[in-house]
Amino acid sequence: MTQMRSDTRTSGAGGAPARAPVPADSDKIPAHVWRTAGVVVFGAVMGMLDTSLVNIGLHTIGADLGASLATIQWVASGYLLALGVSLTVCGWLARRVGVTRLWMGALVAFTLTSAACAFAPTAGWLIGMRVLQGLAAGLMIPAGQTILGQAAGPQRMGRVMGVVGIAVVGAPAIGPTIGGLMLAHWSWEWLFLINIPFGLAGLALGLRYLPRTSGVATQPLDVIGLVLAGGGVSAVVYGLSEVGTTGSVTSPSVWLPVVLGLAGLAGFITRALRGERPLLDIRMFGNHAFRAATSASFFAGGAMFGVMVLLPLYFQVLHGTGLIRTGVDLLSYGLGGIIMLPLGGRLTDRFGGGRVAVLGNLAIAGAVLPLAFLPVAANGILIQFLLFAAGMATGVGAMPLVSAAYAAVRHEQLPDATAFVNIVQRVGGAVAVALVAVILSRATSSGWAPVSGYHLAFGVLAALSVAASAASLVLYRLQRRVKAAAAEPVPARQ
């Protein structure tokens, strides 16, 4: 007889445990799920790799197109703003056209706009195409995560999402190396042309292996909600990213977009709570486990994106290393994450995302904090060891929270859940990057020793990891309570 066990997944708005019996052998991941994960990784790699590649080439692109730095930086800023808009409408589109069709369409759009970017004759054309590319990326990444979540089910979520996490951690780590080599030997157009073979391969594999899903009749698009949510997220992210340009939070180009963005988000939340069919189901945060996992993802995402931005500056500015050498130095961070992510997924499925994330984020803090005390002339092997350890810790710190958030909601709620988690991580990353920019700018203007600003920045990122661990502890306690409730014997009826 097949052994049975209790499924302790939290479901519903109140997070009540569901105790339906599940066959013990259902934990084994079928081959078709791994094929689905492999296909979705193509989109994740393209979306994450493209950002780091293009940022490296901004100076070269501006010089070739005859554009100033103030103009050409919109190649990066326009992409981020468009990303924020499309994340908010992803859930509605997934229900309307089907999540597989949405992913395929976004992949095609991302590939075509990459080609259009490569052949851009002017800076204005390039910026316009990057906006369209950002819209496609904002749909492709959460749609792929939704496909994976629906195919894997809650009890396998950690292991499968760990595969996508390899792209999230690994692609930005190898991006500077690839970008530096490409710019050293080829023209900047190849920073975009590299997406075409990935896109064609992903499209062919998607047509063959992805599950077919069809859309359902939904309510008309809430245009007002889209303007409030999409505009709000984009304005907040843009305002925070301007801190890196101005070096101050008091500049109007920083605080004005942030204030307007927060006002837009407040308006969207009010509208969503009062309406029967909002653009995004804000009531999902009534689910205690989802709320705890998403809140912890804000701090974990901030630490992860902050480290990814600070480390290249640490090598290039403080140590004076070149672009290609910096990329090589960052490989150990990405390698650590790639090695540890599959194990982190297994631990998540076995022990729960909360427990794993508590220990993982503490480990991130333990690996990053020593960098806040090392002198400029610190041993290079020691620095590489710390980066490798930080990468490994990231593999068991950030992705378990994402897996726990997706596992906490019902099947039909996954499109909105993926949108919310990606938005929260992006905003958390923007906040962390703004903090790093302010610290480094103030350190320079105040006449501190150059290393002092980096020491303080690493200390702040370590503190964010500790905050993520504390928030993960709330999730762990919820999961333990649900597990204990599921283990209680059901009293027999008289």
Side-chain angles (χ1 to χ4, degrees):
M1 178 183 297
T2 303
Q3 292 182 345
M4 308 293 286
R5 64 172 177 82
S6 293
D7 182 4
T8 60
R9 179 179 132 186
T10 301
S11 61
R19 290 189 280 178
V22 180
D25 57 3
S26 66
D27 278 345
K28 184 178 180 181
I29 299 180
H32 72 87
V33 176
W34 284 124
R35 286 195 295 267
T36 300
V39 174
V40 169
V41 163
F42 273 92
V45 168
M46 290 172 66
M48 296 301 297
L49 185 62
D50 190 73
T51 302
S52 58
L53 286 181
V54 174
N55 288 347
I56 286 175
L58 286 179
H59 179 74
T60 303
I61 295 172
D64 188 65
L65 296 180
S68 65
L69 180 61
T71 298
I72 208 65
Q73 65 91 19
W74 277 99
V75 171
S77 298
Y79 183 90
L80 289 177
L81 295 182
L83 196 73
V85 171
S86 55
L87 281 174
T88 58
V89 77
C90 183
W92 182 86
L93 283 173
R95 291 187 293 270
R96 187 82 171 189
V97 304
V99 67
T100 299
R101 291 178 182 175
L102 177 62
W103 186 86
M104 299 282 284
L107 179 68
V108 170
F110 192 90
T111 305
L112 291 177
T113 52
S114 295
C117 287
F119 295 106
T122 64
W125 174 276
L126 178 59
I127 292 169
M129 291 302 101
R130 278 288 283 177
V131 169
L132 296 179
Q133 192 182 44
L135 290 172
L139 297 174
M140 182 170 59
I141 295 174
Q145 293 175 349
T146 301
I147 293 172
L148 272 184
Q150 292 178 343
Q155 68 273 17
R156 312 183 190 107
M157 192 75 70
R159 284 166 289 173
V160 176
M161 291 304 298
V163 175
V164 181
I166 291 175
V168 173
V169 177
I174 65 174
T177 305
I178 297 176
L181 290 172
M182 292 173 69
L183 289 173
H185 297 90
W186 301 327
S187 63
W188 63 263
E189 287 86 353
W190 285 98
L191 299 177
F192 299 100
L193 292 174
I194 191 175
N195 290 325
I196 296 178
F198 277 105
L200 293 175
L203 180 62
L205 294 172
L207 289 171
R208 180 175 179 83
Y209 293 118
L210 289 186
R212 296 293 179 262
T213 57
S214 56
V216 296
T218 60
Q219 75 279 9
L221 178 64
D222 181 7
V223 179
I224 297 177
L226 175 60
V227 172
L228 291 173
V233 171
S234 298
V236 169
V237 172
Y238 171 74
L240 293 172
S241 66
E242 278 292 286
V243 175
T245 302
T246 64
S248 171
V249 295
T250 60
S251 171
S253 64
V254 174
W255 66 260
L256 185 59
V258 171
V259 170
L260 292 176
L262 292 176
L265 291 175
F268 167 75
I269 293 172
T270 302
R271 181 180 178 84
L273 291 175
R274 291 178 177 176
E276 294 183 0
R277 296 179 177 179
L279 179 67
L280 289 170
D281 185 10
I282 198 74
R283 294 182 178 88
M284 189 180 301
F285 283 92
N287 182 320
H288 302 311
F290 178 78
R291 183 173 66 243
T294 307
S295 301
S297 292
F298 173 85
F299 297 105
M304 182 175 69
F305 286 110
V307 166
M308 288 180 180
V309 169
L310 182 59
L311 285 177
L313 296 174
Y314 176 72
F315 286 111
Q316 291 177 354
V317 178
L318 196 61
H319 290 268
T321 57
L323 191 62
I324 297 177
R325 173 62 188 275
T326 298
V328 173
D329 288 337
L330 291 175
L331 285 178
S332 57
Y333 177 79
L335 182 61
I338 290 172
I339 291 174
M340 200 63 184
L341 275 163
L343 178 58
R346 287 185 173 274
L347 294 174
T348 299
D349 287 340
R350 182 171 181 180
F351 299 107
R355 180 188 296 184
V356 176
V358 168
L359 299 176
N361 283 287
L362 284 178
I364 294 174
V368 171
L369 190 58
L371 294 171
F373 299 97
L374 291 179
V376 177
N379 186 282
I381 296 177
L382 175 59
I383 294 176
Q384 289 300 309
F385 172 79
L386 291 174
L387 293 186
F388 183 74
M392 293 185 68
T394 301
V396 290
M399 289 310 295
L401 293 169
V402 176
S403 302
Y406 297 164
V409 302
R410 298 189 301 271
H411 183 276
E412 67 273 12
Q413 292 178 312
L414 267 174
D416 283 353
T418 56
F420 276 128
V421 171
N422 278 276
I423 289 171
V424 168
Q425 282 191 333
R426 295 287 174 180
V427 173
V431 170
V433 172
L435 287 173
V436 168
V438 168
I439 291 170
L440 296 182
S441 176
R442 293 290 175 86
T444 302
S445 62
S446 300
W448 297 357
V451 70
S452 299
Y454 289 91
H455 282 173
L456 182 56
F458 279 122
V460 168
L461 295 178
L464 286 177
S465 295
V466 173
S469 182
S472 301
L473 184 61
V474 177
L475 174 64
Y476 167 61
R477 288 176 175 174
L478 283 170
Q479 291 178 329
R480 188 174 62 177
R481 191 181 309 161
V482 170
K483 185 176 181 180
E488 292 179 0
V490 179
R493 294 185 176 181
Q494 297 295 330

